[in-house]
C-alpha cells in the first residue's frame, strides 16, 4: 500500500465506491456487506480493507464525492454569465440537486452512523466539502438576489440544508411506508426531487 502511487490508490478507491453506489441503488445500507462490494469489483475483501477500514468509510467517501460533484454544479451557477431572477435561481439549484439522489439518500438514511464509524481524518475531509457547499450556495444567493441581507441569506441556508435531508424519504417512500399511509388514509403525492426543491426555494426566496 505504501509504495502505491496516489493516482493508483485514488483509482482503486473510486472503483470500490462505484461498486458501493451500484449496490445502494437496489439494497439498503444495512444489507450491503464488504463481501457484496468485493463481488462487484476485482478486489478481495482483505484488499478492500487496504483502502477503507469499514463499510461506513466507503459510504463516507461516496458521500464526499457526491458533495464534490454537487459543488461543481453550484459553482457553474455561481460563475454563470446568465442573469437569473429568484425563480430562475430556484430552478437552477433544484436542477443541480435532482442529479444527487445518492447524496440525498445517504444524508437522509445513514449519515449519523456513517460519521460515527469512520476515521476522524475522513470525516474532516467530508466536512470540508460540505462547508464548501454551504459557501457556494450562499455565493449564489449573494450574486443573484442582491436585495437579501447577509442575515437573510444565512436564514435561507440554515433552512435549506436541513430540509434537504428530508427530500429523499418523501420522494422515495418504501412500499411498507405507502401501505401504512394507505391504512390510516394519509394522503401523499408523487413528487420529484426537483419539484420539492424548487417549491421550497421559491417559498424561501419570497
Amino acid at each position: 500500500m505504501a509504495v502505491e502511487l496516489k493516482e493508483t490508490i485514488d483509482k482503486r478507491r473510486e472503483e470500490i465506491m462505484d461498486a458501493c453506489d451500484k449496490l445502494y441503488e437496489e439494497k439498503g445500507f444495512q444489507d450491503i456487506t464488504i463481501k457484496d462490494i468485493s463481488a462487484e469489483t476485482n478486489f478481495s475483501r482483505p484488499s478492500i480493507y487496504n483502502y477503507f477500514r469499514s463499510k461506513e468509510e466507503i459510504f463516507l467517501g461516496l458521500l464526499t464525492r457526491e458533495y464534490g460533484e454537487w459543488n461543481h454544479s453550484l459553482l457553474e451557477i455561481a460563475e454563470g454569465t446568465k442573469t437569473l431572477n429568484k425563480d430562475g435561481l430556484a430552478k437552477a439549484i433544484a436542477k443541480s440537486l435532482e442529479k444527487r439522489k445518492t447524496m440525498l439518500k445517504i444524508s437522509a438514511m445513514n449519515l449519523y452512523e456513517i460519521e460515527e464509524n469512520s476515521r476522524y481524518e475522513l470525516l474532516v475531509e467530508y466536512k470540508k466539502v460540505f462547508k464548501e457547499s454551504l459557501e457556494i450556495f450562499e455565493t449564489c444567493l449573494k450574486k443573484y438576489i442582491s436585495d437579501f441581507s447577509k442575515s437573510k441569506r444565512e436564514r435561507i441556508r440554515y433552512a435549506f440544508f436541513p430540509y434537504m435531508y428530508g427530500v429523499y424519504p418523501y420522494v422515495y417512500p418504501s412500499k411498507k411506508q405507502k401501505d401504512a399511509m394507505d391504512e390510516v388514509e394519509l394522503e401523499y403525492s408523487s413528487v420529484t426531487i426537483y419539484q420539492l426543491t424548487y417549491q421550497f426555494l421559491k417559498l424561501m426566496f419570497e
Side-chain angles (χ1 to χ4, degrees):
M1 182 73 172
V3 298
E4 282 187 299
L5 295 175
K6 183 180 184 302
E7 182 179 345
T8 301
I9 294 172
D10 290 344
K11 181 179 178 181
R12 291 177 177 175
R13 285 171 59 88
E14 289 290 328
E15 290 178 19
I16 293 167
M17 289 188 291
D18 286 343
C20 183
D21 192 14
K22 181 180 177 181
L23 289 166
Y24 200 44
E25 292 178 3
E26 304 294 335
K27 304 174 71 172
F29 173 79
Q30 299 296 340
D31 297 323
I32 297 173
T33 66
I34 295 295
K35 181 179 179 180
D36 294 331
I37 296 171
S38 173
E40 287 287 333
T41 67
N42 294 320
F43 302 106
S44 65
R45 278 179 287 176
S47 294
I48 290 176
Y49 286 119
N50 286 329
Y51 304 97
F52 298 95
R53 291 185 182 176
S54 64
K55 176 179 73 175
E56 287 81 4
E57 288 194 357
I58 300 174
F59 272 90
L60 185 61
L62 180 56
L63 183 60
T64 301
R65 184 175 74 178
E66 282 282 310
Y67 265 100
E69 292 174 356
W70 188 44
N71 288 350
H72 179 73
S73 296
L74 289 178
L75 270 176
E76 289 183 341
I77 298 171
E79 297 174 352
T81 57
K82 183 179 179 180
T83 300
L84 299 175
N85 58 19
K86 293 177 181 179
D87 189 69
L89 179 59
K91 288 178 178 177
I93 294 174
K95 185 176 180 181
S96 73
L97 198 60
E98 187 176 36
K99 302 173 184 177
R100 304 270 68 87
K101 178 180 175 181
T102 298
M103 182 183 89
L104 295 173
K105 184 178 181 181
I106 296 174
S107 298
M109 311 292 278
N110 314 109
L111 182 59
Y112 185 85
E113 184 176 356
I114 288 168
E115 289 190 353
E116 284 298 298
N117 291 285
S118 296
R119 280 171 287 173
Y120 179 77
E121 59 267 29
L122 298 182
L123 182 56
V124 169
E125 182 180 336
Y126 159 64
K127 294 297 184 182
K128 180 180 179 181
V129 177
F130 178 77
K131 180 183 177 184
E132 290 173 357
S133 298
L134 296 173
E135 293 171 345
I136 302 169
F137 179 83
E138 187 164 351
T139 298
C140 290
L141 299 185
K142 187 175 182 180
K143 176 177 180 177
Y144 295 108
I145 313 179
S146 58
D147 58 323
F148 281 176
S149 65
K150 180 174 173 52
S151 61
K152 171 73 170 178
R153 294 195 301 269
E154 288 178 349
R155 288 197 299 272
I156 292 173
R157 188 184 74 183
Y158 283 118
F160 178 63
F161 278 78
Y163 175 84
M164 281 177 19
Y165 294 159
V167 170
Y168 181 87
Y170 204 97
V171 176
Y172 300 101
S174 67
K175 182 181 182 304
K176 185 177 182 180
Q177 289 169 326
K178 289 180 180 179
D179 290 344
M181 286 188 280
D182 289 338
E183 180 71 22
V184 301
E185 298 182 347
L186 176 62
E187 293 185 6
Y188 60 90
S189 302
S190 177
V191 293
T192 65
I193 292 172
Y194 176 86
Q195 289 169 332
L196 273 185
T197 305
Y198 169 64
Q199 290 299 330
F200 181 79
L201 289 174
K202 185 178 179 181
L203 180 64
M204 294 300 295
F205 290 171
E206 291 181 352

